[in-house]
Protein backbone atom coordinates (compact mmCIF):
# COMPACT_ATOMS: atom_id res chain seq x y z
CA UNK A 1 0.00 0.00 0.00
CA UNK A 2 2.92 2.37 0.59
CA UNK A 3 4.37 1.91 -2.90
CA UNK A 4 3.28 1.66 -6.53
CA UNK A 5 1.07 4.68 -7.13
CA UNK A 6 -2.04 3.99 -9.19
CA UNK A 7 -4.49 6.52 -10.64
CA UNK A 8 -8.21 5.88 -11.00
CA UNK A 9 -9.43 5.92 -14.60
CA UNK A 10 -13.20 5.44 -14.39
CA UNK A 11 -13.66 5.90 -18.16
CA UNK A 12 -10.99 3.40 -19.20
CA UNK A 13 -12.06 1.10 -22.03
CA UNK A 14 -10.38 -1.90 -20.43
CA UNK A 15 -10.17 -2.93 -16.80
CA UNK A 16 -9.10 -6.14 -15.05
CA UNK A 17 -11.89 -8.63 -14.41
CA UNK A 18 -12.25 -9.21 -10.63
CA UNK A 19 -13.59 -12.72 -11.22
CA UNK A 20 -10.40 -13.96 -12.93
CA UNK A 21 -7.59 -15.70 -11.09
CA UNK A 22 -4.51 -13.75 -12.18
CA UNK A 23 -1.47 -16.01 -12.31
CA UNK A 24 1.54 -13.82 -13.02
CA UNK A 25 5.23 -14.65 -13.16
CA UNK A 26 7.67 -11.76 -13.32
CA UNK A 27 11.28 -12.09 -14.37
CA UNK A 28 13.68 -9.49 -13.01
CA UNK A 29 17.26 -9.43 -14.29
CA UNK A 30 18.44 -5.91 -13.48
CA UNK A 31 19.29 -4.14 -10.27
CA UNK A 32 17.90 -0.68 -9.64
CA UNK A 33 19.79 2.28 -11.04
CA UNK A 34 21.06 3.50 -7.64
CA UNK A 35 21.97 1.08 -4.83
CA UNK A 36 20.99 3.60 -2.13
CA UNK A 37 17.51 4.16 -3.64
CA UNK A 38 14.41 2.03 -3.94
CA UNK A 39 14.74 -0.44 -6.82
CA UNK A 40 12.37 0.87 -9.51
CA UNK A 41 11.70 -2.65 -10.75
CA UNK A 42 10.62 -3.79 -7.30
CA UNK A 43 8.36 -0.75 -7.07
CA UNK A 44 6.88 -1.71 -10.46
CA UNK A 45 5.81 -4.99 -8.82
CA UNK A 46 3.86 -3.00 -6.24
CA UNK A 47 2.24 -1.03 -9.06
CA UNK A 48 1.26 -4.27 -10.80
CA UNK A 49 -0.40 -5.60 -7.65
CA UNK A 50 -2.10 -2.26 -6.95
CA UNK A 51 -3.42 -1.93 -10.51
CA UNK A 52 -5.35 -5.17 -10.08
CA UNK A 53 -6.48 -4.40 -6.54
CA UNK A 54 -7.66 -0.88 -7.47
CA UNK A 55 -10.06 -2.42 -9.98
CA UNK A 56 -11.57 -4.77 -7.43
CA UNK A 57 -9.52 -7.91 -8.01
CA UNK A 58 -9.47 -9.58 -4.58
CA UNK A 59 -6.12 -10.45 -3.01
CA UNK A 60 -6.91 -14.16 -3.25
CA UNK A 61 -7.22 -13.82 -7.05
CA UNK A 62 -3.74 -12.35 -7.49
CA UNK A 63 -1.04 -15.02 -7.62
CA UNK A 64 2.32 -13.41 -8.34
CA UNK A 65 5.70 -15.09 -8.44
CA UNK A 66 8.87 -13.06 -8.99
CA UNK A 67 12.06 -14.70 -10.21
CA UNK A 68 15.19 -12.67 -9.59
CA UNK A 69 18.15 -13.52 -11.77
CA UNK A 70 21.55 -12.00 -12.40
CA UNK A 71 21.90 -8.46 -11.00
CA UNK A 72 18.30 -8.37 -9.71
CA UNK A 73 19.24 -10.74 -6.88
CA UNK A 74 20.87 -7.82 -5.04
CA UNK A 75 17.42 -6.45 -4.20
CA UNK A 76 16.77 -9.36 -1.82
CA UNK A 77 20.14 -9.29 -0.08
CA UNK A 78 19.65 -9.03 3.67
CA UNK A 79 20.82 -5.72 5.11
CA UNK A 80 24.24 -6.98 6.27
CA UNK A 81 25.00 -8.59 2.93
CA UNK A 82 23.73 -5.51 1.08
CA UNK A 83 25.99 -3.25 3.18
CA UNK A 84 28.99 -5.45 2.36
CA UNK A 85 28.26 -5.06 -1.35
CA UNK A 86 27.05 -1.44 -1.59
CA UNK A 87 28.20 0.27 1.64
CA UNK A 88 24.62 1.35 2.45
CA UNK A 89 21.42 -0.12 3.89
CA UNK A 90 19.14 -2.07 1.58
CA UNK A 91 16.42 0.46 0.65
CA UNK A 92 14.10 -2.33 -0.55
CA UNK A 93 13.45 -4.01 2.79
CA UNK A 94 10.10 -2.37 3.55
CA UNK A 95 8.62 -2.79 0.07
CA UNK A 96 9.70 -6.44 0.00
CA UNK A 97 8.02 -6.99 3.37
CA UNK A 98 4.81 -5.41 2.08
CA UNK A 99 4.84 -7.36 -1.18
CA UNK A 100 5.44 -10.64 0.63
CA UNK A 101 2.65 -9.70 3.03
CA UNK A 102 0.40 -9.24 0.00
CA UNK A 103 1.21 -12.81 -1.09
CA UNK A 104 3.93 -12.13 -3.67
CA UNK A 105 6.51 -14.94 -3.73
CA UNK A 106 10.16 -14.16 -4.47
CA UNK A 107 12.59 -16.74 -5.84
CA UNK A 108 16.28 -16.15 -6.45
CA UNK A 109 18.16 -18.15 -9.03
CA UNK A 110 20.13 -20.80 -7.16
CA UNK A 111 22.62 -20.95 -10.04
CA UNK A 112 23.36 -17.23 -9.62
CA UNK A 113 23.76 -17.66 -5.87
CA UNK A 114 26.19 -20.56 -6.31
CA UNK A 115 28.15 -18.80 -9.04
CA UNK A 116 28.64 -15.77 -6.74
CA UNK A 117 29.16 -17.93 -3.63
CA UNK A 118 26.27 -16.18 -1.83
CA UNK A 119 24.91 -17.72 1.36
CA UNK A 120 21.15 -17.85 0.80
CA UNK A 121 20.62 -17.62 4.56
CA UNK A 122 21.74 -13.99 4.23
CA UNK A 123 18.84 -13.05 1.96
CA UNK A 124 15.73 -11.17 3.06
CA UNK A 125 13.53 -13.44 5.19
CA UNK A 126 10.86 -15.10 3.07
CA UNK A 127 12.97 -15.21 -0.08
CA UNK A 128 12.93 -18.66 -1.65
CA UNK A 129 15.59 -20.35 -3.77
CA UNK A 130 14.89 -21.95 -7.13
CA UNK A 131 17.37 -24.51 -8.40
CA UNK A 132 17.51 -22.26 -11.47
CA UNK A 133 15.60 -19.10 -12.32
CA UNK A 134 15.12 -20.23 -15.90
CA UNK A 135 13.50 -23.51 -14.92
CA UNK A 136 11.27 -21.77 -12.38
CA UNK A 137 10.05 -19.49 -15.18
CA UNK A 138 9.34 -22.32 -17.60
CA UNK A 139 7.63 -24.41 -14.92
CA UNK A 140 5.31 -21.58 -13.88
CA UNK A 141 4.52 -20.74 -17.50
CA UNK A 142 3.55 -24.36 -18.14
CA UNK A 143 1.26 -24.10 -15.09
CA UNK A 144 -0.59 -21.25 -16.79
CA UNK A 145 1.20 -18.22 -15.38
CA UNK A 146 1.45 -15.18 -17.65
CA UNK A 147 4.95 -13.79 -18.09
CA UNK A 148 5.77 -10.17 -17.33
CA UNK A 149 9.30 -8.91 -17.67
CA UNK A 150 10.63 -5.62 -16.34
Amino acid sequence: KSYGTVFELPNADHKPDPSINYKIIVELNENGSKPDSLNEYIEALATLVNLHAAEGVPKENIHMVVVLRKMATYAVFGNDLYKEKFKCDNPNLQILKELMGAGVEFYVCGQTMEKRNIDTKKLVAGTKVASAGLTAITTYQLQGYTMVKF
Side-chain angles (χ1 to χ4, degrees):
K1 292 183 179 185
S2 305
Y3 304 92
T5 304
V6 172
F7 302 97
E8 286 188 39
L9 297 171
N11 297 321
D13 294 314
H14 180 274
K15 294 184 178 199
D17 180 345
S19 69
I20 293 175
N21 263 319
Y22 287 88
K23 295 166 65 175
I24 305 164
I25 183 150
V26 180
E27 178 185 12
L28 295 181
N29 289 315
E30 299 296 326
N31 195 24
S33 56
K34 298 178 186 174
D36 62 347
S37 299
L38 184 64
N39 181 316
E40 59 264 28
Y41 303 110
I42 301 294
E43 187 165 24
L45 298 171
T47 301
L48 183 56
V49 170
N50 291 342
L51 286 167
H52 287 84
E55 295 296 344
V57 178
K59 179 180 175 179
E60 59 271 10
N61 285 9
I62 303 170
H63 311 280
M64 187 183 300
V65 175
V66 179
V67 177
L68 300 110
R69 301 178 55 243
K70 302 179 182 179
M71 306 305 273
T73 58
Y74 296 139
V76 293
F77 277 19
N79 207 47
D80 292 341
L81 188 57
Y82 199 89
K83 276 184 180 180
E84 279 179 40
K85 175 73 177 165
F86 296 109
K87 311 301 182 227
C88 64
D89 288 330
N90 184 341
N92 304 298
L93 297 178
Q94 185 58 38
I95 191 171
L96 290 167
K97 181 179 178 182
E98 287 190 32
L99 285 165
M100 288 179 189
V104 178
E105 294 182 70
F106 287 85
Y107 284 91
V108 293
C109 175
Q111 300 301 308
T112 299
M113 296 292 98
E114 286 295 315
K115 187 176 194 176
R116 293 188 189 149
N117 198 27
I118 302 296
D119 181 356
T120 56
K121 293 181 182 100
K122 294 183 178 182
L123 300 176
V124 170
T127 303
K128 300 174 182 181
V129 180
S131 60
L134 291 172
T135 59
I137 291 166
T138 57
T139 300
Y140 276 99
Q141 284 183 303
L142 290 169
Q143 292 173 354
Y145 279 67
T146 298
M147 173 67 131
V148 175
K149 188 172 180 177
F150 292 123

